[in-house]
Amino acid sequence: MARPNLKNFRRIVVKVGSSLLIDSDAGEVRASWLAALAADLARLHGEGRELLIVSSGAIALGRSRLKLPRGALKLEESQGAAAVGQIALARIWSEVLGHHGIGAGQILVTLQDTEERRRYLNARSTIAKLLEWRAVPVINENDTVATNEIRYGDNDRLAARVATMASADLLILLSDIDGLYDAPPGSNPNAKLVPVVESVTSEIEAMAGAAESELSRGGMTTKIEAAKIATTAGTHMLIASGKIEHPLQAIANGGRCTWFLTPANPVTARKRWIAGSLEPKGTLTIDAGAVSALRAGKSLLPAGVIRVDGQFARGDAVVVRGPDTHEIGRGLVAYDAEDAEKIKGRSSPDVMTILRISGRAEMIHRDDLVIGPSAALSAN
């Protein structure tokens, strides 16, 4: 299968590892390399792409600033180093992107933020707003509060979760190596790069090796795991070398890398998940006008809701029924049941007055809504 072209992707997540960003001997950022990467990002941004960055480096920067000795850190030492390093990391990204007139916003996440639907929706909404403002979200695991039991442990899988949460259509993992090889290239001179992976099979998984970098917690195994997460959710992924300057430009020019392809796209994969994998916790009955609006691709507004049933929390799946009780669709609701009851049938400007907060305009956003026969394929 032919490899895709970078110009065909609209929303791109770029993962940058510690070993690329930080000079382990000096304990400082590789300034020249980062400036070249920022130029690549600025070019894509100028072409209208929506960009997100998943950046490692907080702990490495923190331990340098604190002059901590080499070697393994205890959990509380890692958390303290991350607290110092996160400030430095955010400033570095803000400055290097700001040089090109691009704003940056820091988002720190933990495992629960991508697994628990309420927090997932909050993070997704924040990302969407930053992208709407043409800012670049810079995302990292919140090492200051994550424990060994709840952390991702590597930013490859974190990047894949972020990509699926943001409905990105491409995830780029910049690595110490330029892609997946059919054998360990360090020990086998005949190892060949695999340019395209159409499906992550057991054979592909067997090709993965271990981490080779002191700063990196993830090796090829975690990259294959990331590929499974991303492609299942409709996101293409590629692994490319970040050791060269202008790595994204090299990809655009057809440079060496490994593409992991998905047959789906982020929207259809996400809607399949909503329609078929989540147990509904309640029901919203809507009027005929709202039914027509939803079938025309609109979001569900509070004004169109005439009845609320069930006990659900923000982010839960609910069934949407028409005035004749026929199921119209399913979606992730933006309000708790109690608040939904208060604002049903009311216009959007009334929501802030009733709830005394500046709430979301939609009861269910169209991106979180599945309409039609597919919605009946539920996991009851």
Side-chain angles (χ1 to χ4, degrees):
M1 184 177 292
R3 54 181 275 171
N5 193 306
L6 195 59
K7 68 180 181 181
N8 295 329
F9 295 96
R10 178 184 61 90
R11 182 172 293 178
I12 303 172
V13 176
V14 180
K15 180 260 180 178
V16 181
S18 292
S19 59
L20 298 176
L21 189 64
I22 308 298
D23 183 329
S24 59
D25 293 328
E28 294 295 335
V29 170
R30 300 180 191 272
S32 175
W33 179 86
L34 183 57
L37 175 63
D40 287 356
L41 292 166
R43 180 183 56 80
L44 292 172
H45 190 270
E47 293 172 353
R49 307 288 190 274
E50 296 176 338
L51 303 174
L52 299 88
I53 297 169
V54 175
S55 176
S56 303
I59 294 177
L61 280 173
R63 72 185 299 162
S64 173
R65 298 292 194 275
L66 295 166
K67 296 181 171 54
L68 301 179
R70 286 181 174 271
L73 297 176
K74 297 178 181 178
L75 175 61
E76 61 272 20
E77 292 173 336
S78 294
Q79 291 173 327
V84 174
Q86 280 167 356
I87 294 175
L89 190 64
R91 179 181 58 79
I92 288 165
W93 279 110
S94 178
E95 289 180 352
V96 75
L97 292 173
H99 180 72
H100 296 277
I102 302 171
Q106 184 188 48
I107 300 177
L108 301 176
V109 298
T110 61
L111 181 64
Q112 292 98 323
D113 295 320
T114 59
E115 298 294 336
E116 198 271 320
R117 281 196 294 278
R118 176 189 291 260
R119 293 164 70 171
Y120 168 97
L121 285 180
N122 285 336
R124 179 179 166 88
S125 295
T126 300
I127 289 171
K129 182 55 66 176
L130 287 171
L131 294 177
E132 179 186 327
W133 290 338
R134 299 294 293 152
V136 174
V138 179
I139 302 163
N140 194 7
E141 184 169 15
N142 193 352
D143 291 305
T144 58
V145 298
T147 66
N148 288 334
E149 291 75 23
I150 65 173
R151 68 183 305 128
Y152 287 95
D154 68 85
N155 274 3
D156 294 325
R157 282 176 287 200
L158 170 61
R161 293 294 187 190
V162 167
T164 63
M165 181 167 61
S167 294
D169 43 12
L170 177 62
L171 166 62
I172 298 175
L173 300 184
L174 295 180
S175 175
D176 291 341
I177 192 170
D178 54 8
L180 175 68
Y181 284 75
D182 60 2
S187 57
N188 187 338
N190 296 318
K192 296 180 180 179
L193 179 75
V194 180
V196 177
V197 175
E198 296 184 26
S199 178
V200 180
T201 62
S202 57
E203 180 183 9
I204 294 298
E205 291 182 290
M207 295 178 186
E212 297 181 359
S213 168
E214 175 190 345
L215 291 177
S216 176
R217 286 183 291 192
M220 190 56 68
T221 299
T222 67
K223 290 173 174 54
I224 298 300
E225 290 297 320
K228 290 195 291 185
I229 294 169
T231 56
T232 299
T235 299
H236 291 285
M237 191 189 95
L238 71 83
I239 302 171
S241 174
K243 286 187 172 181
I244 60 175
E245 290 202 349
H246 298 287
L248 301 183
Q249 184 61 52
I251 295 169
N253 292 338
R256 290 169 63 84
C257 63
T258 298
W259 285 86
F260 294 82
L261 306 184
T262 176
N265 66 63
V267 174
T268 57
R270 174 177 169 77
K271 294 203 171 187
R272 189 181 304 117
W273 170 67
I274 292 171
S277 301
L278 300 177
E279 179 183 357
K281 298 298 179 65
T283 301
L284 300 179
T285 303
I286 63 177
D287 61 29
V291 172
S292 297
L294 297 193
R295 294 202 183 283
K298 305 294 185 181
S299 298
L300 176 60
L301 302 179
V305 179
I306 57 179
R307 178 171 174 172
V308 176
D309 294 292
Q311 293 297 318
F312 51 83
R314 178 172 184 257
D316 281 342
V318 296
V319 175
V320 180
R321 299 188 183 278
D324 59 356
T325 73
H326 178 72
E327 181 173 332
I328 303 301
R330 300 191 176 198
L332 304 183
V333 67
Y335 289 94
D336 296 342
E338 183 179 354
D339 286 342
E341 179 67 35
K342 292 177 182 177
I343 64 175
K344 70 180 184 185
R346 306 300 291 267
S347 65
S348 297
D350 290 340
V351 172
M352 185 168 65
T353 302
I354 295 170
L355 300 182
R356 297 184 179 180
I357 58 171
S358 181
R360 294 161 179 82
E362 307 88 0
M363 187 77 80
I364 303 178
H365 191 279
R366 64 183 182 182
D367 290 347
D368 299 324
L369 186 65
V370 185
I371 300 298
S374 62
L377 302 176
S378 63
N380 287 339

